[in-house]
């Protein structure tokens, strides 16, 4: 997809200090909204392995061109529903791999995994879940940008953001190590295992994240852009 150069991003502001947890967890908070669609089901069945091997593939027009859908008036619907199927399968796979080390929050998941916790809307409780843990984020349904309410919330509450690669974002955040990304299922599992077993790596990464966002300059540049409009 074409990179959006004129987006106004509000960045995490004054992130909380991270607690040092002896028994850190992987945390995912969110739901899913799969609707029946035979065409999307057919594409998912054919492309599932390819998508897990390259999670950004569905963000590219060449993927949809294979199915002559790149100009279809329901392309956005197909895209969103493919993302929902990806989210559903990936989260349940991770829950099975990491078991009680994976905290899954969302009432709808309980039908598929009994240890899933009910929806949580209390920001203090959400902040407690995020702080000091590895916080998994699969990106916004509606775009391909690093910063949106959930990812900002994770960083501000002192969680380590581990996010699927977002194509419409500046490479600066990846190259500097401020944002930790993954672009395939295998890479994600490997990274999660590393972060769970290696405290030195975990704290090195979260300190880098904290130091990068613990300043006012990023949001000041956004406010200056607004002033210039």
């Amino acid at each position: 997809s074409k990179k959006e150069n004129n987006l106004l991003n509000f960045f995490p502001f004054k992130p909380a200090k991270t607690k040092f947890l002896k028994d850190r967890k992987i945390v995912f908070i969110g739901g899913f909204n799969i609707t029946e669609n035979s065409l999307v089901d057919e594409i998912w069945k054919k492309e599932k392995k390819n998508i897990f091997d390259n999670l950004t593939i569905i963000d590219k027009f060449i993927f949809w061109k294979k199915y002559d859908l790149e100009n279809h008036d329901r392309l956005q619907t197909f895209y969103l529903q493919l993302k929902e199927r990806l989210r559903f399968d990936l989260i349940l796979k991770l829950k099975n791999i990491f078991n009680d080390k994976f905290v899954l929050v969302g009432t709808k998941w309980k039908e598929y995994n009994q240890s899933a916790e009910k929806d949580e809307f209390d920001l203090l409780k959400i902040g407690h879940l995020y702080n000091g843990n590895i916080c998994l984020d699969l990106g916004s349904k509606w775009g391909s940008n690093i910063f949106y309410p959930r990812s900002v919330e994770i960083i501000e509450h002192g969680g380590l953001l581990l996010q699927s690669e977002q194509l419409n974002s500046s490479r600066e955040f990846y190259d500097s190590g401020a944002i930790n990304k993954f672009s395939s299922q295998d890479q994600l599992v490997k990274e999660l295992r590393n972060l769970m077993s290696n405290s030195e790596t975990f704290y090195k990464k979260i300190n880098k994240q904290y130091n990068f966002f613990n300043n006012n300059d990023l949001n000041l540049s956004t406010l200056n852009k607004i002033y210039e409009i």
Side-chain angles (χ1 to χ4, degrees):
S1 58
K2 185 180 177 184
K3 186 175 177 187
E4 300 166 78
N5 291 315
N6 297 317
L7 287 169
L8 292 173
N9 281 315
F10 281 98
F11 302 97
F13 182 68
K14 292 189 181 299
K17 279 284 191 182
T18 300
K19 292 177 295 192
F20 289 82
L21 302 177
K22 286 183 181 178
D23 186 28
R24 63 182 163 275
K25 299 281 199 288
I26 301 160
V27 176
F28 179 80
I29 300 177
F32 58 91
N33 184 28
I34 293 174
T35 57
E36 286 187 25
N37 188 304
S38 57
L39 178 56
V40 175
D41 284 337
E42 184 183 336
I43 294 171
W44 178 239
K45 189 176 178 181
K46 284 182 182 176
E47 299 284 355
K48 189 173 179 177
K49 185 183 183 305
N50 291 331
I51 293 170
F52 278 137
D53 287 344
N54 179 3
L55 300 175
T56 66
I57 197 173
I58 64 173
D59 294 311
K60 299 167 183 172
F61 275 110
I62 195 168
F63 174 86
W64 298 99
K65 200 167 185 177
K66 276 202 294 185
Y67 297 94
D68 199 25
L69 294 171
E70 73 275 17
N71 296 313
H72 198 286
D73 59 1
R74 295 192 67 209
L75 176 58
Q76 182 75 359
T77 299
F78 301 150
Y79 170 73
L80 290 174
Q81 279 305 307
L82 206 53
K83 272 187 128 175
E84 291 287 356
R85 284 153 175 78
L86 167 59
R87 174 189 302 257
F88 179 81
D89 273 35
L90 185 57
I91 292 302
L92 288 180
K93 278 187 178 187
L94 294 172
K95 180 63 175 166
N96 287 334
I97 291 169
F98 293 98
N99 207 348
D100 62 336
K101 297 292 185 184
F102 190 109
V103 178
L104 178 56
V105 180
T107 303
K108 288 179 77 174
W109 296 104
K110 289 185 77 67
E111 183 180 342
Y112 305 94
N113 190 291
Q114 284 301 305
S115 65
E117 300 180 14
K118 63 181 176 60
D119 290 336
E120 184 56 75
F121 302 104
D122 185 319
L123 277 178
L124 285 175
K125 290 181 181 177
I126 290 171
H128 180 74
L129 281 167
Y130 283 150
N131 194 292
N133 286 315
I134 302 157
C135 303
L136 183 61
D137 178 40
L138 300 181
S140 169
K141 290 182 189 179
W142 305 104
S144 188
N145 296 289
I146 292 171
F147 301 105
Y148 73 110
R150 176 172 290 132
S151 60
V152 169
E153 200 171 67
I154 288 168
I155 295 171
E156 287 185 342
H157 283 101
L160 178 65
L161 177 66
L162 183 57
Q163 187 185 62
S164 57
E165 184 176 3
Q166 305 298 304
L167 295 185
N168 281 335
S169 295
S170 168
R171 302 300 308 177
E172 171 196 3
F173 300 105
Y174 296 140
D175 294 343
S176 67
I179 297 294
N180 295 282
K181 69 177 175 69
F182 58 90
S183 55
S184 73
Q185 176 187 272
D186 287 348
Q187 184 189 9
L188 172 58
V189 171
K190 185 178 178 182
E191 182 67 5
L192 287 170
R193 285 184 169 139
N194 184 34
L195 290 168
M196 288 295 287
S197 63
N198 192 325
S199 291
E200 185 180 346
T201 299
F202 174 81
Y203 288 113
K204 183 179 177 182
K205 285 179 179 287
I206 204 159
N207 284 335
K208 192 169 280 191
Q209 176 186 283
Y210 175 85
N211 291 332
F212 188 92
F213 292 106
N214 189 33
N215 69 74
N216 299 327
D217 294 344
L218 291 168
N219 282 319
L220 182 62
S221 67
T222 299
L223 291 170
N224 286 335
K225 285 179 186 176
I226 293 172
Y227 181 75
E228 290 167 4
I229 293 174

